[in-house]
């Protein structure tokens, strides 16, 4: 009797998480699942802590299998940011030599909003016209804006594409009042 044996070669699969975080400084945990064809099996959900170590490795997957990766529910996004659509590498053929690797890329995009400033004037003659210079200063990377509002038409100004933040609005300049009038104290309501 001449006895021989064949042992199935096995490989490993490393799944790496990348993140374009838009400056959010995000750290947290993502979950992935792996499904392999034939006798390769299924694995997961597996947690990947980001940014460290940022990857996970599955060992002892029979060679010859093609394994695909899916991502589970995304962690809670940081305030003022939204998750983009994940980009997951194509199925991987498992070999002993490797490298057998898949990248799961996510992105966070800064949410943006707009701010409409409406100018009202009380007590002036009905034919009063003028212009008002405003200052809008937003926290963090929200920016600074100096719109000019023509009164009474259009009577408002919208600042668009402001990264979500808190903004303070003040009036920094205005037309002279009509003859026989003077400007009272300016008030801002609803500062966002």
């Amino acid at each position: 009797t001449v006895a021989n044996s064949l042992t199935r070669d096995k490989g490993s699969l490393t799944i790496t998480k990348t993140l374009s975080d838009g400056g959010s400084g995000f750290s947290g945990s993502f979950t992935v699942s792996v499904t392999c064809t034939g006798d390769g099996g299924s694995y997961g959900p597996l947690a990947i802590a980001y940014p460290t170590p940022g990857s996970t490795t599955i060992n002892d997957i029979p060679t010859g299998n093609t394994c695909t990766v899916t991502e589970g529910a995304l962690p809670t996004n940081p305030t003022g940011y939204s998750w983009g659509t994940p980009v997951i590498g194509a199925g991987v053929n498992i070999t002993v030599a490797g490298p057998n690797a898949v990248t799961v890329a996510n992105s966070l995009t800064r949410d943006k909003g707009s701010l409409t400033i409406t100018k009202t004037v009380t007590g002036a003659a009905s034919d009063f016209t003028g212009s008002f210079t405003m200052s809008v200063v937003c926290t963090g990377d929200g920016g600074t804006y100096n719109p000019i509002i023509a009164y009474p038409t259009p009577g408002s100004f919208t600042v668009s594409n402001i990264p979500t933040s808190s903004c303070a609005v003040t009036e920094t300049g205005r037309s002279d009042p009509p003859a026989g009038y003077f400007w009272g104290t300016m008030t801002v309501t609803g500062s966002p």
Side-chain angles (χ1 to χ4, degrees), residues 23-122:
S24 72
F26 176 84
S27 64
S29 184
F30 296 84
T31 59
V32 294
S33 294
V34 178
T35 304
C36 301
T37 59
D39 58 355
S42 296
Y43 308 87
L46 307 168
I48 300 177
Y50 182 86
T52 304
S55 64
T56 188
T57 299
I58 304 167
N59 294 306
D60 298 324
I61 302 172
T63 58
N65 280 276
T66 299
C67 298
T68 56
V69 177
T70 55
E71 185 168 44
L74 293 169
T76 301
N77 51 298
T79 301
Y81 290 81
S82 294
W83 288 111
T85 302
V87 178
I88 301 174
V92 173
N93 239 344
I94 302 300
T95 64
V96 174
N100 305 304
V102 173
T103 299
V104 179
N106 294 89
S107 62
L108 282 168
T109 304
R110 185 66 184 265
D111 294 336
K112 294 189 176 182
S114 63
L115 170 64
T116 298
I117 304 163
T118 302
K119 182 66 188 175
T120 61
V121 176
T122 57

Side-chain angles (χ1 to χ4, degrees), residues 119 128-133 147-157 175:
K119 182 66 188 175
F128 170 74
T129 62
S131 61
F132 298 85
T133 305
I148 297 174
I149 299 175
Y151 182 86
T153 303
S156 65
F157 189 92
S175 297

